[in-house]
Amino acid sequence: MAKIQIAMTVNGEAVEALAEPRTLLIHFLREQLNLTGPHIGCDTSHCGACTVDLDGKSMKSCTVFAVQASGAEIRTIEGMAAADGTLHALQEGFREMHGLQCGFCTPGMIVRAYRLLQENPNPTETEIRFGIAGNLCRCTGYQNIVKAIQYAAAKLNGVPLQEAAE
Amino acid sequence: MIPGSFAYHRPSSVQEAVALLADLGTEARALAGGHSLIPMMKLRLAAPDNLVDLAGIKELKSIRADGGDIVIGAMTTQHEVLASDLLTQKIPILRETALQIADPQVRYAGTLGGNVANGDPGNDMPAVMLCLGAAYQVTGKSGERRIAAREFYQGAYFTALEPGEILTAIRIRVPATGHGYGYEKLKRKIGDYATAAAAVVLTMTGGTVASCSIGLTNVAETPLWAEAAANILVGSSLNAATVKRAVAAAEAITAPATDSRGPAIYRTKMAGVMLARALAHARSRAS
């Protein structure tokens, strides 16, 4: 099938590339745009490692065709830190609270948690766990991921957080 | 996993979509949220040569009151169902059900229309639509028609939709004020289809059941409307003996498959347990 021109905004930058209609968004991001932060984990829309923010929605980019995202605004883990390299509160939280071990799920976790905090800036622990139910972590047991998100929520809300990592 | 090749179309109106589907023939498929179809395409269990993406059709995205009905556009996502104050207030069983579908990411993409039109017996909303007595508005080349949800499901992935027709909206009569409701779903983990699930909507008058409707999910090739079970309950106080008879009547119409979710007899019994819980929940909410 002939390639078609696909244009979108990724991490604030307008990008354009040729791709077949059957090209999945995750392949478009990783192979055409060299954004290898979003990972391919299960490739079956379960694990959430490929999660990106698409027009204000958390999306599993292994289950969206790039062409469906034509004209969309996308944010990946590469777009989380400030231009000067200052980490986003969520990235800082994952570092401070030991929210990762192998790190494979982390880009999806952080991008998902970003949208969760946009919609609910002050989530309870239960709401955090429900909100990241589409992201699987095989290392941590989630405890410190929850704390990392609580850390970020507190920081973004300007409230001090006393709790330490497990 | 990479799907087979296809040509992509993005119509901006229902008429255009229907014309495209008619011209492109039987190997063309309509694409809604894609979270059933794209995984099937990645596994090459589906290999449409043309995809008609419905995402660009604005008229398919709306939730509006129409007299005593609420009309929900087919491309309304599960996330939008959860965010709708109108639905939460008028038909709260939809919110309760949507919260039990898949996970947050999937709910941002998955649509109500796709969920009910795909004919997958594992989907949750079809049984709720049977319970509510919903009607589906569909449009094809020869025009528009309305199909009762209770007459829509014919077999696994077989529905009353004709080739080239698309489901455009779901019309639901708003249940009576003070009705009780419950959707109880047994699943092994987040994101799983139901081992068994039950939907209940009922009204109570002076401690007795005035009306009752029951739907069952994933315990047959189609969603089930458990009419006989519901009729047993009408006029009762939902006392234990009557509930037991209704549960037995509901179990009797199930025909689940033995699969990784358990043996058929277990899934039948779990349908009964889910029904008993949904009834108790519905009763506690009825006023």
Side-chain angles (χ1 to χ4, degrees), chain B residues 30-155:
Chain B
L31 176 68
H35 275 47
S36 297
L37 182 56
I38 295 174
M40 298 284 272
M41 290 173 66
K42 289 171 72 175
L43 293 167
R44 306 271 178 140
L45 293 172
D49 55 12
N50 284 277
L51 275 190
V52 178
D53 188 354
L54 306 180
I57 306 177
K58 285 200 179 67
E59 61 194 277
L60 296 181
K61 258 194 183 294
S62 68
I63 302 172
R64 62 182 174 85
D66 181 19
D69 295 348
I70 287 181
V71 181
I72 308 171
M75 288 295 282
T76 301
T77 64
Q78 308 293 354
H79 183 80
E80 287 161 348
V81 168
L82 294 174
S84 163
D85 291 338
L86 180 67
L87 291 181
T88 298
Q89 197 197 339
K90 298 287 190 190
I91 317 178
I93 194 172
L94 294 179
R95 178 184 170 82
E96 179 152 293
T97 305
L99 281 168
Q100 298 178 69
I101 294 174
D103 63 48
Q105 285 93 321
V106 176
R107 289 193 291 268
Y108 282 112
T111 64
L112 203 56
N115 195 285
V116 301
N118 194 28
D120 183 343
N123 285 353
D124 292 286
M125 286 296 182
V128 176
M129 295 306 161
L130 301 189
C131 177
L132 290 165
Y136 300 155
Q137 282 171 217
V138 308
T139 303
K141 212 175 137 187
S142 50
E144 238 188 292
R145 63 188 180 121
R146 200 179 280 186
I147 310 169
R150 290 172 188 166
E151 285 159 15
F152 187 75
Y153 299 98
Q154 300 169 344

Side-chain angles (χ1 to χ4, degrees), chain B residues 156-170:
Chain B
Y157 301 100
F158 279 95
T159 69
L161 268 188
E162 297 289 341
E165 279 185 326
I166 57 171
L167 187 146
T168 56
I170 297 160

Side-chain angles (χ1 to χ4, degrees), chain A residues 4-83:
Chain A
I4 49 177
Q5 192 78 15
I6 297 173
M8 55 183 83
T9 305
V10 180
N11 298 326
E13 244 178 84
V15 296
E16 245 179 90
L18 284 169
E20 286 186 70
R22 65 172 171 170
T23 302
L24 294 160
L25 181 59
I26 185 67
H27 293 136
F28 185 78
L29 293 171
R30 289 177 59 87
E31 292 161 20
Q32 242 101 340
L33 305 182
N34 293 322
L35 294 171
T36 54
H39 290 157
I40 300 172
C42 68
D43 206 6
T44 58
S45 69
H46 288 97
C47 80
C50 63
T51 300
V52 301
D53 202 68
L54 190 159
D55 284 341
K57 297 169 288 198
S58 303
M59 280 287 157
K60 293 182 174 176
S61 60
C62 77
T63 310
V64 179
F65 293 115
V67 64
Q68 290 177 276
S70 250
E73 242 180 79
I74 288 177
R75 188 197 281 241
T76 68
I77 187 68
E78 286 90 345
M80 291 300 296

Side-chain angles (χ1 to χ4, degrees), chain B residues 9-42:
Chain B
H9 310 268
R10 195 180 169 92
S12 55
S13 72
V14 170
Q15 291 319 319
E16 202 187 323
V18 165
L20 268 168
L21 286 168
D23 288 351
L24 294 168
T26 50
E27 295 307 310
R29 290 284 301 265
L31 176 68
H35 275 47
S36 297
L37 182 56
I38 295 174
M40 298 284 272
M41 290 173 66
K42 289 171 72 175

